[in-house]
């Protein structure tokens, strides 16, 4: 498969599966948009393997190991459109393909049913599954000061992942996953267990306190991560700003109504996402 066809495949993956990511990526110039689409498409493949609850854990772990091996020789798969596009993108931009290994590490932890005792434990996971994507994206964006920019890209990824965790508490719980640190749950006297009717058994006030505590922590990571934007060119900054802006709005909704966030998946309507993207393109980051 030739590179243009491979990139078109990856861009279709972004359009069909990246509900929030696509709003930012479309703000990039075509060469960077194609490269970041290839990064997203491979990251999505890894996530989908980890999230395939219909397959036994051993099968998913084997598939993840296969993708790790394929990534190690990314040029050797001419019939795989995602790897063809990714290999071409890595020749054009300093994309740290090894960071995908960290994403695979995080997905393996999901498959094995990993839990997190402290926030430092959870931070390891966030840096694997989202900080790595931030570093991969930075390879496409480019910056004159990578040493300073890398930890900021990592922090922005952590902020996005913490928001994801708060947004998906109910869905993750139904799948048997609890990401919030055990020591934080104990601090607020919460278990996230559900009664026979499917409702959370914890005291609502304690639950609200827990969610707001975690949301405040995520907000601090946004403060650090958004310092990346002035280090990027205008359209790369708009891309990162749009994605961060959408997730920050989600976080604010969770903070404003923690009870609703625990019972439904908080999301933004398309018009609001589009508004955030327009503001990002204009250089307004909220």
């Amino acid at each position: 498969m030739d590179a243009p066809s491979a990139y078109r495949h990856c861009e279709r993956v972004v359009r069909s599966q990246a509900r929030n990511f696509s709003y930012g990526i479309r703000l990039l110039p075509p060469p960077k948009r194609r490269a970041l689409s290839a990064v997203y498409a491979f990251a999505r493949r890894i996530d989908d393997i980890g999230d395939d609850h219909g397959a036994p854990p051993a099968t998913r772990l084997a598939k993840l190991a296969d993708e790790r091996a394929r990534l190690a020789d990314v040029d050797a798969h001419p019939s795989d459109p995602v790897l063809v596009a990714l290999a071409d993108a890595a020749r054009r931009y300093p994309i740290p393909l090894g960071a995908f290994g960290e994403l695979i590490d995080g997905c393996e932890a999901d498959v094995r049913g990993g839990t997190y005792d402290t926030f430092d434990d959870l931070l390891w996971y966030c840096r694997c599954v989202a900080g790595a994507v931030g570093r991969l994206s930075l390879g496409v964006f480019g910056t004159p000061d990578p040493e300073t920019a890398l930890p900021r890209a990592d922090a922005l990824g952590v902020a996005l992942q913490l928001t994801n965790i708060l947004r998906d508490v109910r869905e993750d719980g139904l799948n048997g996953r609890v990401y919030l640190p055990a020591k934080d749950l104990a601090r607020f006297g919460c278990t996230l267990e559900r009664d026979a009717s499917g409702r959370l058994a914890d005291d609502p006030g304690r639950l609200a306190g827990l969610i707001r505590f975690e949301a405040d922590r995520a907000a601090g990571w946004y403060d650090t991560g958004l310092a990346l934007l002035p280090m990027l060119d205008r359209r790369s900054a708009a891309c990162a700003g749009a994605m961060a802006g959408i997730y920050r709005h989600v976080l604010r909704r969770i903070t404003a109504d923690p009870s609703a966030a625990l019972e439904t998946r908080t999301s933004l309507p398309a018009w609001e996402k589009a508004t955030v993207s327009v503001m990002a393109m204009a250089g307004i980051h909220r």
Side-chain angles (χ1 to χ4, degrees):
M1 174 175 288
D2 60 24
S5 298
Y7 280 126
R8 285 195 292 273
H9 170 84
C10 293
E11 289 183 301
R12 286 194 294 271
V13 171
V14 171
R15 286 194 299 270
S16 65
Q17 299 187 48
R19 287 171 291 184
N20 293 326
F21 193 85
S22 62
Y23 283 88
I25 202 170
R26 70 183 62 174
L27 302 179
L28 291 170
K32 289 187 177 183
R33 184 172 66 242
R34 288 191 290 268
L36 200 56
S37 294
V39 168
Y40 174 84
F42 191 70
R44 183 71 190 203
R45 176 185 292 180
I46 295 168
D47 283 344
D48 286 347
I49 293 170
D51 289 339
D52 182 8
H53 300 289
T59 300
R60 286 182 276 164
L61 290 172
K63 288 183 177 180
L64 290 170
D66 287 344
E67 294 303 330
R68 193 189 295 271
R70 286 153 61 82
L71 182 66
D73 193 7
V74 71
D75 289 301
H77 307 282
S79 63
D80 185 326
V82 174
L83 291 181
V84 168
L86 190 61
D88 187 79
R91 286 190 288 269
R92 298 173 186 273
Y93 298 97
I95 301 172
L97 295 182
F100 279 116
E102 297 173 62
L103 176 58
I104 293 171
D105 290 341
C107 286
E108 287 175 341
D110 280 340
V111 173
R112 293 187 175 105
T115 56
Y116 305 97
D117 186 48
T118 68
F119 178 70
D120 284 344
D121 297 331
L122 179 61
L123 184 56
W124 170 85
Y125 172 80
C126 291
R127 283 182 163 146
C128 283
V129 298
V133 174
R135 296 189 293 277
L136 288 158
S137 300
L138 183 62
V140 176
F141 294 152
T143 178
D145 185 3
E147 185 174 349
T148 302
L150 275 169
R152 296 179 182 182
D154 180 84
L156 193 54
V158 169
L160 299 180
Q161 186 59 31
L162 291 173
T163 304
N164 270 339
I165 287 169
L166 291 173
R167 181 194 63 187
D168 296 340
V169 167
R170 182 178 185 277
E171 181 179 338
D172 288 333
L174 294 174
N175 288 320
R177 293 178 179 172
V178 176
Y179 289 98
L180 297 182
K183 288 190 175 176
D184 290 352
L185 293 173
R187 174 181 174 179
F188 286 88
C190 297
T191 65
L192 298 184
E193 294 177 356
R194 294 180 179 270
D195 59 25
S197 67
R199 297 184 62 82
L200 285 163
D202 296 315
D203 175 80
R206 291 180 180 273
L207 281 170
L210 169 67
I211 296 303
R212 288 197 172 107
F213 173 78
E214 303 294 354
D216 285 347
R217 175 180 274 156
W221 285 92
Y222 279 110
D223 291 342
T224 300
L226 287 170
L228 171 68
L229 270 54
M231 305 183 69
L232 306 178
D233 66 79
R234 178 174 176 267
R235 292 181 69 175
S236 295
C239 174
M243 289 186 282
I246 288 169
Y247 277 86
R248 274 183 113 189
H249 278 241
V250 169
L251 184 66
R252 288 168 181 161
R253 290 198 174 187
I254 291 170
T255 305
D257 193 352
S259 298
L262 288 164
E263 296 300 336
T264 59
R265 193 173 193 267
T266 304
S267 62
L268 303 182
W271 69 264
E272 192 167 350
K273 294 178 183 178
T275 300
V276 172
S277 298
V278 170
M279 293 173 65
M281 195 64 186
I284 302 169
H285 307 297
R286 291 184 177 175

